[in-house]
Amino acid sequence: MRFWIECTRLETGRPIHINIALVGSMSRDGERTTLTYVGDGQTIDVTETPEQILERHFGAMTKP
């Protein structure tokens, strides 16, 4: 089973689909979220916040 996240590329404003298994980390810097791939350290900058990405694909997170 594969899971894909849809994000908006910061540079172009176009949607991109990324296999969630390849994303090792997400960090926020101003208006951009940087997704870092597992293994090679390649990054991509997107406009959504980490919270928006997770909520869109996994539903609203509830706090204990």
Side-chain angles (χ1 to χ4, degrees):
M1 185 180 294
R2 293 186 178 163
F3 296 95
W4 298 88
I5 56 174
E6 180 181 347
C7 300
T8 307
R9 272 194 112 108
L10 185 71
E11 299 86 10
T12 64
R14 300 183 74 190
I16 183 170
H17 291 83
I18 302 167
N19 184 325
I20 190 74
L22 299 178
V23 177
S25 67
M26 289 189 277
S27 60
R28 190 78 175 148
D29 180 22
E31 293 299 311
R32 71 180 64 209
T33 297
T34 300
L35 305 177
T36 304
Y37 291 98
V38 172
D40 64 7
Q42 179 184 354
T43 63
I44 185 170
D45 292 327
V46 299
T47 59
E48 294 84 0
T49 66
E51 294 81 9
Q52 289 170 322
I53 293 169
L54 293 173
E55 185 173 320
R56 179 187 309 169
H57 298 285
F58 300 110
M61 304 294 279
T62 58
K63 295 185 179 185

